[in-house]
Amino acid sequence: MSAMPAANADTVTSTVSDGALSVTTAGVTLSAVTLNGTTQSSSGTTPTWTLTDSRGTGAAWTVTATATVPTSAAGTIETTARTIPVGNLTFSTGTIVAVSGADPITNITGSTNLALATTSLTLIASTGTNRGTYTMTPSFALSVPGNAFRSNYSAAVGSTALNPYSSTITYTIA
C-alpha cells in the first residue's frame, strides 16, 4: 500500500477593530404658511439619515435631540424677535430600514409626532443588538397657532425678505 502524502496546514488570521457609532442628519425647510386665524401645520421631510453602529459590541444606543424655540429674528425696523412654542415642533422617524449586512431592526424604536423640547428627548433607541447601518427619512411638522405673529421683515416692512421661523436641533448618539 502506498503512503498518503502529508497534509499541509496554514493558519489565517485577521484582526477586526471596532469602528464608531454615528448618525448623519439633514436639515429641512418646512412648507410655508399663510396666517388665516386658525392653527395650521407646516411640514417637511428630510433627506435620508444614516445611522451606523460599527463598534462591534452589540451594546444598546440612543439618538437624542434638543431644539431651540422656533424664532423669527428681529429685523432692523421690526426689532422684536417673534417665537412659536418649541413643543409645536414635532419629529417622526419614518420607516427604519436595515442596510444589507446589518442586524434586523427588531430592537429599534423610533418616535412618531414627538413634541420637541429645549431639554434632551430620545428620538430613536436600540435596546438590543443592532450592529450595522440603518437608514430612515424623518419628517418634521410645526403647528402654527392662529394667533401667531407673521415672520419679521429683515429690514423695511413689505419690501425686504422675511426672516423665517427657525429652530436649531442638536443631535447626540450614545
Side-chain angles (χ1 to χ4, degrees):
M1 176 171 243
S2 66
M4 298 223 14
N8 291 333
D10 292 320
T11 301
V12 176
T13 61
S14 177
T15 302
V16 178
S17 299
D18 61 331
L21 180 62
S22 65
V23 62
T24 303
T25 62
V28 63
T29 299
L30 302 180
S31 58
V33 169
T34 299
L35 295 173
N36 66 6
T38 65
T39 298
Q40 298 180 68
S41 182
S42 173
S43 61
T45 302
T46 70
T48 300
W49 287 16
T50 302
L51 188 149
T52 301
D53 181 359
S54 58
R55 300 172 296 171
T57 64
W61 46 259
T62 58
V63 176
T64 58
T66 59
T68 61
V69 174
T71 302
S72 177
T76 56
I77 296 180
E78 295 177 314
T79 58
T80 302
R82 304 297 185 184
T83 63
I84 294 175
V86 69
N88 287 27
L89 181 60
T90 59
F91 170 89
S92 294
T93 308
T95 302
I96 300 169
V97 177
V99 173
S100 178
D103 289 330
I105 63 168
T106 308
N107 300 315
I108 301 175
T109 55
S111 300
T112 302
N113 296 321
L114 176 67
L116 296 178
T118 57
T119 57
S120 184
L121 297 173
T122 298
L123 302 180
I124 309 161
S126 163
T127 58
T129 303
N130 291 106
R131 295 162 299 171
T133 299
Y134 304 88
T135 61
M136 63 214 72
T137 307
S139 61
F140 290 86
L142 179 64
S143 178
V144 180
N147 65 349
F149 285 96
R150 64 157 166 72
S151 294
N152 284 328
Y153 282 94
S154 58
V157 174
S159 62
T160 59
L162 290 170
N163 292 330
Y165 280 87
S166 63
S167 174
T168 299
I169 304 172
T170 303
Y171 304 97
T172 304
I173 186 167

